[in-house]
Amino acid sequence: MSKATRTDPQPSAPHGADSHDLIRVLGARENNLKDVSIEIPKRRLTVFTGVSGSGKSSLVFNTIAAESQRLINETYSSFVQGFMPTLARPEVDVLEGLTTAIIVDQQRMGSDPRSTVGTATDANAMLRILFSRLGKPHIGPPSAYAFNVPSVRASGAITVERGDKKTVKATFNRTGGMCPRCEGRGTVSDLDLTQLYDDSKSLNEGAITIPGYGSDGWNMRLYKESGFVDPDKPISKYTKKELQDFLHHEPTRMKIAGINMTYEGLIPRVQKSMLSKDKEAMQPHIRAFVDRAVAFTTCPECDGTRLGEGARASKIKRISIADACAMQISDLADWVRALKEPSVAPLLTALQQTLDSFVEIGLGYLALDRPAGTLSGGEAQRVKMIRHLGSSLTDVTYVFDEPTAGLHPHDIQRMNELLLRLRDKGNTVLVVEHKPETIAIADHVVDLGPGAGTAGGSVCFEGTVEGLRTGGTVTGRHFDDRSSVKETPREATGTLEIRGASANNLRDVDVDVPLGVLVVVTGVAGSGKSSLVHGSIPAGEGVVSVDQSPIRGSRRSNPATYTGLLDPIRKAFAKANGVKPALFSANSEGACPTCNGAGVIYTDLAMMAGVASPCEDCEGKRYQPSVLEYHLGGRDISEVLAMSVDEAGEFFRAGEGATPAAQRVLSRLSDVGLGYLTLGQPLTTLSGGERQRLKLATHMADKGGVYVLDEPTTGLHLADVEQLLGLLDRLVDSGKSVIVVEHHQAVMAHADWIIDLGPGAGHDGGRLVFEGTPADLVAARSTLTGEHLAAYVGA
């Protein structure tokens, strides 16, 4: 029998498996997309651009990434799938060539006090192993250095049964690193007793000043009739025992006024009834009391390091793990580099790479013990990127949502290099972005539009960056826009003096902020801009501070309820139909009884993201059928809430629906560039930039004289930045002072005065490196900002 010979195919004939190099999308109709069909090349960098609300996120996140996620979930066993959300298939005809999608978004990280930059990446875990091997004195395994692990000591016979065998264990020990006083939080809460009671009065005279402790309520009767204290005696005259019984007594069952009740000291009672609850869910007067009465101070035992005494005493080269986590990451990287220990060489290499990634990505100014909840959206996104840079995975799809948010032009260059490095490992990189510097490095560009909301949702251009420049779309026309520096800046009407500012990394900064003009505070990420502005110009009398933090409100909140727009709308409907306004509130009498006016039924899945499915009774309209029979100008209330801001502006301007009060609010929303938002869109679905502009629109009617804005161009298309600048000018011209923390060169060029911080980030920043007009900054070119601004305006 002749031996079979293997013939390799000729190199010129490609393998069939290599032909799948496109992600094909046919007929996407998610949200405002209008039957979008595109082909995206794999293993390339594709940038999606277009005005805010044009459908970029609907295509990238809600269609491509969502379907990838759904298909991955289907690979798990039926048992596991039973615990997972049943994801709906996106509205699309065909999706081919998908790969595993990893979404790196700008959602803030959890605000749990025990979540830090170190625990959110692998850096903290590697440091713990390092100290458990090399730390002197040796105190135990890696868990002994973890502030999330408490020490446990149990003694006594513990019987373990396995079939016929029985094992008796006498003791059980686990060494953890958690500080026992603050339980790994780094801070302890202290009650200010002067806010609980007035010690010059007796109980009968109303000494207790806590909300809900009125003279004839049950709370007060509990203390008056307990027999532990004399109700007619001023608290300042109590004996030591009486004060102990009044403030700290253990819970005790007893009969008071003929009823069985539990008596306990005032402090534990207040802690249980008020301090253990979520502050955001409290009524305003109780929240105000908690703010007054509770002071969070650094834990005196661990000095804010969150670690127990043993973990702090164990050191490598005179540095404890607490010292290492408190170091700026760029310094920690140098310290780790200097450790030469063959026994842990692979670990040191891995730790070194992780710390160097922080520095490369422009986060070298952070420390590992920085609470994750205090990171901005852009910083949180870059911390999530760290995990993927060292990943061994290839041929996956990385999806980024504006990775340049919060980055100085100097830092954008580094971010571009990282995106290209991910691509060069053989991954498909999809980026939603507005900054021309990042669009310029794309292999493929998809421009959506032409407008926002119902005017968007179509592909206006698909191809190379050069093609986009000459393509005539809104993005193409504005791609090479360059603002010129203001020739004659406005004159200041006064100054706001800041002296000795030293919050975070600021080095005793003295600066005079001119009032009555547009002031831009700039500098590289981590140079101290927010510390200067928010630390030295506190929101209060005459100061309106507008940032990108999540808006306090539930899933029921929407632009109509948040801005107060719903009130005049409800009244207009009520007047036109002769019924009461409460019927037209989805949170009140008019609500659909099945979903209680939410429009969707939420299923909470405990360990996974919850799932929302539209209510089958009201079909997501949120109202009872009887309420939808009332009309105003031919529209029912649910149809009005489904309108965009611009549509509603037309509707309430004239004719039967004319409502001047609603028109005023809508024109402000339109001014800040939110004309595409629908009135009933839940606030939880808005981006950081949209939230900030919504707050700005709400505050524009305030009496404040100073407006402080934090990167208002986040999420804005190049064309929308012009509209924002016009709005800032109108604010200044109406006599307001506007202070903007910003990196966008168009805003810098438009400023009357620039304050530049730097020269670097973290402990290399925090100094005032320039103050003056944009023209002077360009002429001097003495700072990084000056160089980039000069290049931008073509000076």
Side-chain angles (χ1 to χ4, degrees), residues 432-629:
V432 173
E433 187 53 86
H434 295 293
K435 292 270 172 70
E437 297 98 318
T438 299
I439 300 172
I441 63 161
D443 301 308
H444 190 73
V445 180
V446 178
D447 189 17
L448 289 158
T454 50
S458 305
V459 175
C460 301
F461 173 82
E462 213 183 331
T464 63
V465 178
E466 284 310 311
L468 176 73
R469 276 195 163 101
T470 54
T473 64
V474 177
T475 308
R477 286 200 305 274
H478 288 275
F479 191 81
D480 291 310
D481 274 7
R482 294 293 179 264
S483 302
S484 54
V485 174
K486 201 176 271 184
E487 292 296 320
T488 50
R490 286 172 280 226
E491 289 295 318
T493 56
T495 54
L496 180 73
E497 292 186 2
I498 297 176
R499 294 289 175 266
S502 56
N504 298 333
N505 66 332
L506 294 177
R507 309 269 181 103
D508 280 337
V509 173
D510 296 338
V511 63
D512 291 332
V513 181
L515 296 176
V517 294
L518 175 59
V519 178
V520 171
V521 181
T522 185
V524 295
S527 60
K529 303 179 299 296
S530 298
S531 303
L532 179 70
V533 173
H534 296 300
S536 308
I537 312 171
E541 200 56 45
V543 177
V544 176
S545 186
V546 188
D547 61 13
Q548 296 185 26
S549 59
I551 291 170
R552 286 176 182 166
S554 65
R555 304 175 182 122
R556 296 171 173 278
S557 304
N558 54 45
T561 58
Y562 182 76
T563 57
L565 173 65
L566 198 58
D567 290 338
I569 293 178
R570 283 202 311 246
K571 285 173 186 162
F573 266 94
K575 191 175 174 186
N577 294 285
V579 291
K580 54 184 178 181
L583 277 177
F584 301 100
S585 168
N587 298 329
S588 184
E589 291 184 28
C592 160
T594 310
C595 61
N596 290 326
V600 287
I601 307 288
Y602 283 95
T603 312
D604 189 10
L605 292 164
M607 71 284 181
M608 298 196 68
V611 173
S613 46
C615 171
E616 291 177 2
D617 284 7
C618 66
E619 295 174 352
K621 291 181 178 174
R622 304 175 62 193
Y623 290 91
Q624 296 174 15
S626 58
V627 175
L628 300 181
E629 289 169 15

Side-chain angles (χ1 to χ4, degrees), residues 202-208 213-232 238 246 256-257 263:
S202 67
L203 292 181
N204 279 335
E205 290 167 340
I208 301 180
Y213 283 72
S215 55
D216 35 357
W218 271 110
N219 284 327
M220 201 64 157
R221 287 186 69 177
L222 184 70
Y223 291 98
K224 282 183 187 174
E225 301 179 24
S226 64
F228 286 111
V229 292
D230 181 351
D232 293 313
Y238 281 6
F246 175 54
I256 294 175
Y263 175 88

Side-chain angles (χ1 to χ4, degrees), residues 29-191:
R29 295 178 298 280
E30 202 61 33
N31 296 335
N32 66 335
L33 295 178
K34 295 172 182 164
D35 259 345
V36 167
S37 298
I38 58 165
E39 291 186 341
I40 301 165
K42 284 190 189 173
R43 294 175 285 283
R44 297 291 181 272
L45 174 64
T46 303
V47 173
F48 293 78
T49 179
V51 296
S52 304
S54 58
K56 304 182 296 295
S57 297
S58 301
L59 178 60
V60 179
F61 291 96
N62 302 358
T63 304
I64 298 171
E67 178 67 354
S68 171
Q69 193 70 59
R70 188 182 75 84
L71 293 173
I72 291 166
N73 287 2
E74 285 187 357
T75 64
Y76 299 128
S77 69
S78 307
F79 175 74
V80 173
Q81 284 186 49
F83 295 102
M84 299 179 77
T86 317
L87 300 171
R89 189 178 184 279
E91 281 278 314
V92 61
D93 295 334
V94 178
L95 267 175
E96 285 180 352
L98 288 180
T99 68
T100 307
I102 294 175
I103 298 173
V104 190
D105 60 16
Q106 288 191 35
Q107 289 296 320
R108 297 281 177 110
M109 290 179 153
S111 55
D112 185 285
R114 294 202 196 98
S115 176
T116 65
V117 170
T119 59
T121 56
D122 289 336
N124 204 278
M126 289 191 271
L127 267 181
R128 293 200 304 267
I129 299 170
L130 184 67
F131 273 85
S132 72
R133 303 280 167 82
L134 304 181
K136 298 278 189 298
H138 176 75
I139 58 163
S143 64
Y145 297 90
F147 55 77
N148 288 332
V149 181
S151 292
V152 179
R153 285 182 180 76
S155 56
I158 303 166
T159 308
V160 181
E161 292 188 24
R162 282 206 181 94
D164 299 335
K165 293 180 182 175
K166 287 188 179 181
T167 317
V168 177
K169 294 185 177 179
T171 57
F172 169 73
N173 279 345
R174 181 180 66 197
T175 308
M178 180 186 285
C179 165
R181 171 79 193 273
C182 64
E183 297 184 339
R185 288 187 168 86
T187 56
V188 287
S189 55
D190 285 337
L191 275 170

Side-chain angles (χ1 to χ4, degrees), residues 343-397:
S343 62
V344 286
L347 175 66
L348 285 171
T349 307
L351 179 57
Q352 186 66 58
Q353 283 173 346
T354 302
L355 296 174
D356 285 343
S357 298
F358 273 102
V359 178
E360 277 176 41
I361 212 163
L363 291 178
Y365 60 89
L366 294 179
L368 293 182
D369 64 1
R370 167 92 174 257
T374 64
L375 299 177
S376 69
E379 285 171 335
Q381 185 176 28
R382 298 201 292 284
V383 166
K384 292 174 193 170
M385 266 186 97
I386 303 278
R387 296 180 195 159
H388 304 304
L389 289 172
S391 167
S392 309
L393 291 173
T394 64
D395 244 336
V396 296
T397 301

Side-chain angles (χ1 to χ4, degrees), residues 404-451:
T404 60
L407 284 185
H408 187 271
H410 171 69
D411 300 312
I412 291 177
Q413 186 60 45
R414 284 167 160 176
M415 176 57 73
N416 286 350
E417 287 164 12
L418 292 167
L419 293 173
L420 292 172
R421 199 190 322 162
L422 278 175
R423 177 201 68 185
D424 294 344
K425 276 174 65 178
N427 298 308
T428 308
V429 181
L430 309 181
V431 184
V432 173
E433 187 53 86
H434 295 293
K435 292 270 172 70
E437 297 98 318
T438 299
I439 300 172
I441 63 161
D443 301 308
H444 190 73
V445 180
V446 178
D447 189 17
L448 289 158

